[in-house]
């Protein structure tokens, strides 16, 4: 199959729009929910009683979303087909006391979130996004999507060794962005944010805010065969899974032997241990309530989980032309080569031979090529929500994804074909 035949420009254009709409995990789940609403899904509240009706439903909690589609004729013990992903990306996060500065510069006090490549945040035009919490218990999304902040790099004249000995950045001293001139005023940044949100600053009692690059995603290369953009790890998978679930929900119910599920979690980049992370109870609670709402028993729940499979979809490493020695010598995933199966025998990834067969069958059904990733034995291997999901819920889990370059950079790089190929494979998997 030629690259020109595989490449769905419409899907990749939509991915780029999704990335722009999702500068924070809270925006990501709101954008995914809006797309599912158009496909006929409806939100259910966790505090309400659930019924056993068929159709598409979803739960929102903070920066996480779990959505599922119950076809006509599904039994209480019908297994699930799950695509797992995460909504967070390594970045900078605003501190509880955000106003700081020195020598006539106003700065925002930030923490470093996850394993970000610090140097990629230097000298970029940054906006500010996230959510604010109000005195009445409600939340507002905020997105200042224009140049507002900047982390200025030290001039080479003042650091002559930067290009020879390597740039050395102190996470506390060197990563605080500037956002204006003048004396530091307590409450200044939150007053600005409140004004942007159209609320009284006195009503803002909490915030989860983060700078984001305002430069939009773009096609790259002679033939526009590459895409550069922010937060591909892992909004690329969230977008693909959302598109796949919406597509499967539009098929005749008679063709769905499973209940397809999207589970997009927050906090993967710092260990997943939160009420919205994969190591929390959210997914298991939603699946169990779905079984019980359809009149199921604990036995039905056990039968459903025993037949369930999860694809943990996260980005992986494409072979880097400048650092090929860092990769395994016989496993060289390439961009636009199709999704990758991620394997680590020490269970940093959850894939085993049985899971490989499930993934291979889905790709074969979809007519999608696929590749295998394994780490160089001399290099430490990253991990995903895959092993957590498998261990916490007793669900067979397979780690997959899309091969990219510049992972954990403020601006990452993927092949323009691969997002559509991933979504096509995910749809085949969810449909069974």
């Amino acid at each position: 199959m030629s690259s020109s035949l595989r490449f769905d420009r419409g899907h990749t254009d939509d991915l780029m729009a999704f990335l722009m709409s999702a500068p924070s995990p809270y925006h990501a789940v709101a954008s995914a929910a809006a797309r599912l609403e158009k496909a006929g899904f409806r939100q259910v509240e966790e505090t309400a009683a659930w019924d056993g009706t068929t159709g598409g439903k979803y739960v929102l909690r903070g920066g996480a979303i779990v959505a599922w589609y119950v076809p006509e004729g599904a039994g209480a013990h019908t297994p699930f087909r799950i695509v797992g992903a995460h909504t967070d990306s390594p970045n900078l996060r605003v501190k509880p006391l955000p106003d700081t500065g020195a020598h006539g510069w106003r700065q925002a006090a930030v923490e470093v979130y996850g394993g970000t490549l610090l140097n990629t945040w230097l000298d970029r035009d940054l906006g500010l996004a996230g959510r604010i919490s109000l005195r009445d218990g409600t939340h507002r999304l905020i997105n200042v999507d224009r140049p507002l902040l900047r982390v200025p790099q030290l001039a080479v004249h003042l650091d002559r060794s930067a290009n020879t000995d390597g740039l050395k950045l102190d996470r506390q001293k060197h990563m605080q962005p500037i956002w204006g001139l003048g004396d530091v005023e307590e409450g200044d940044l939150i007053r600005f944010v409140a004004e942007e949100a159209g609320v009284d600053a006195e009503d803002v009692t909490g915030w989860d805010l983060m700078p984001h690059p305002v430069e939009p995603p773009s096609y790259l290369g002679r033939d526009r065969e590459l895409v550069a953009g922010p937060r591909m790890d892992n909004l690329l998978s969230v977008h693909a899974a959302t598109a796949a679930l919406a597509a499967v929900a539009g098929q005749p119910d008679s063709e769905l032997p499973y209940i397809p599920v999207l589970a997009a979690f927050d906090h993967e980049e710092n260990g997943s241990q939160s009420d919205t992370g994969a190591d929390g109870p959210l997914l298991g609670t939603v699946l169990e309530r779905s079984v019980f709402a359809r009149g199921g028993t604990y036995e039905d729940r056990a039968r459903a989980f025993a037949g369930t499979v999860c694809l943990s979809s996260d980005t992986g490493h494409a072979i880097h032309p400048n650092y090929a020695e860092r990769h395994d010598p016989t496993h060289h995933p390439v961009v636009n080569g199709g999704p990758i199966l991620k394997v680590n025998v020490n269970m940093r990834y959850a894939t085993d031979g049985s899971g490989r067969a499930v993934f291979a069958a889905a790709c074969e059904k979809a007519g999608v090529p696929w590749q295998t990733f394994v780490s160089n034995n001399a290099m430490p291997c990253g991990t995903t929500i895959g092993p957590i999901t498998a261990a916490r819920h007793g669900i067979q889990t397979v780690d997959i994804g899309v091969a990219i370059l510049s992972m954990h950079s403020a601006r990452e790089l993927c092949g323009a074909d691969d997002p559509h190929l991933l979504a096509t494979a995910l749809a085949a998997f969810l449909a069974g």
Side-chain angles (χ1 to χ4, degrees), residues 151-170:
V151 183
Q153 187 169 188
L154 184 64
V156 70
H157 311 76
L158 304 178
D159 185 8
R160 296 289 184 176
S161 64
N163 291 327
T164 55
D165 298 338
L167 182 64
K168 295 179 177 60
L169 294 172
D170 184 292

Side-chain angles (χ1 to χ4, degrees), residues 292-359:
F292 298 151
R294 284 177 280 120
T297 63
Y298 183 82
E299 180 71 11
D300 292 314
R301 179 259 188 216
R303 292 175 65 189
F305 277 43
T308 292
V309 182
C310 174
L311 291 188
S312 165
S313 182
D314 204 344
T315 54
H317 301 294
I319 186 166
H320 197 301
N322 298 339
Y323 301 91
E325 73 281 358
R326 302 294 182 95
H327 298 264
D328 183 81
T330 58
H331 295 77
H332 290 167
V334 297
V335 298
N336 289 334
I340 56 174
L341 180 74
K342 301 162 76 171
V343 178
N344 180 268
V345 295
N346 294 302
M347 299 311 294
R348 300 291 287 174
Y349 303 131
T351 306
D352 61 10
S354 176
R356 173 190 172 102
V358 172
F359 178 64

Side-chain angles (χ1 to χ4, degrees), residues 132-187:
I132 54 176
S133 301
L134 304 181
R135 195 174 301 279
D136 62 4
T138 62
H139 305 284
R140 296 280 185 91
L141 295 183
I142 177 75
N143 183 12
V144 183
D145 196 28
R146 64 180 185 271
L148 177 69
L149 306 107
R150 183 181 178 93
V151 183
Q153 187 169 188
L154 184 64
V156 70
H157 311 76
L158 304 178
D159 185 8
R160 296 289 184 176
S161 64
N163 291 327
T164 55
D165 298 338
L167 182 64
K168 295 179 177 60
L169 294 172
D170 184 292
R171 294 158 68 93
Q172 177 63 40
K173 291 167 52 179
H174 300 148
M175 298 307 298
Q176 310 306 314
I178 60 173
W179 75 291
L181 298 173
D183 296 331
V184 177
E185 297 181 21
E186 184 178 351

Side-chain angles (χ1 to χ4, degrees), residues 3-88:
S3 175
S4 61
L5 291 176
R6 292 197 310 263
F7 186 16
D8 184 320
R9 179 60 59 87
H11 179 91
T12 308
D13 288 345
D14 192 61
L15 167 63
M16 295 163 74
F18 182 76
L19 294 174
M20 286 296 290
S21 74
S24 78
Y26 315 106
H27 290 83
V29 298
S31 186
R35 291 159 188 265
L36 291 173
E37 289 272 359
K38 290 182 179 179
F41 286 69
R42 62 182 177 87
Q43 184 176 2
V44 294
E45 298 292 340
E46 291 188 83
T47 54
W50 292 7
D51 58 43
T53 56
T54 58
K57 307 172 186 181
Y58 67 90
V59 165
L60 293 181
R61 183 193 289 184
I65 181 172
V66 180
W68 67 103
Y69 180 83
V70 181
E72 292 284 350
H77 61 274
T78 298
F80 301 93
R81 281 287 177 101
I82 306 168
V83 176
H86 66 88
T87 60
D88 60 320

Side-chain angles (χ1 to χ4, degrees), residues 49-270:
W50 292 7
D51 58 43
T53 56
T54 58
K57 307 172 186 181
Y58 67 90
V59 165
L60 293 181
R61 183 193 289 184
I65 181 172
V66 180
W68 67 103
Y69 180 83
V70 181
E72 292 284 350
H77 61 274
T78 298
F80 301 93
R81 281 287 177 101
I82 306 168
V83 176
H86 66 88
T87 60
D88 60 320
S89 301
N91 61 7
L92 307 176
R93 303 285 177 104
V94 174
K95 289 183 175 180
L97 300 176
D99 297 293
T100 187
H103 307 291
W105 297 98
R106 291 186 182 183
Q107 294 175 273
V110 297
E111 285 187 88
V112 177
Y113 176 84
T116 186
L117 284 168
L118 296 178
N119 66 295
T120 67
W121 287 84
L122 302 178
D123 296 335
R124 288 188 183 273
D125 296 339
L126 304 173
L128 188 66
R131 69 176 182 180
I132 54 176
S133 301
L134 304 181
R135 195 174 301 279
D136 62 4
T138 62
H139 305 284
R140 296 280 185 91
L141 295 183
I142 177 75
N143 183 12
V144 183
D145 196 28
R146 64 180 185 271
L148 177 69
L149 306 107
R150 183 181 178 93
V151 183
Q153 187 169 188
L154 184 64
V156 70
H157 311 76
L158 304 178
D159 185 8
R160 296 289 184 176
S161 64
N163 291 327
T164 55
D165 298 338
L167 182 64
K168 295 179 177 60
L169 294 172
D170 184 292
R171 294 158 68 93
Q172 177 63 40
K173 291 167 52 179
H174 300 148
M175 298 307 298
Q176 310 306 314
I178 60 173
W179 75 291
L181 298 173
D183 296 331
V184 177
E185 297 181 21
E186 184 178 351
D188 197 25
L189 183 65
I190 299 307
R191 282 192 292 271
F192 167 79
V193 169
E195 183 179 348
E196 289 288 317
V199 300
D200 191 326
E202 296 300 316
D203 289 333
V204 179
T205 55
W207 50 87
D208 302 280
L209 299 170
M210 56 205 74
H212 67 277
V214 297
E215 182 184 4
S218 61
Y219 288 104
L220 184 75
R222 185 191 65 181
D223 298 319
R224 292 160 53 90
E225 68 268 52
L226 301 169
V227 174
R231 301 177 294 280
M232 290 186 181
D233 178 11
N234 187 34
L235 294 187
L236 189 158
S237 292
V238 175
H239 175 263
T242 303
L245 180 60
V248 169
Q251 296 180 7
D253 283 0
S254 60
E255 298 179 6
L256 296 178
Y258 302 99
I259 296 174
V261 180
L262 159 66
F265 303 101
D266 201 353
H267 301 131
E268 188 272 348
E269 297 293 355
N270 62 9

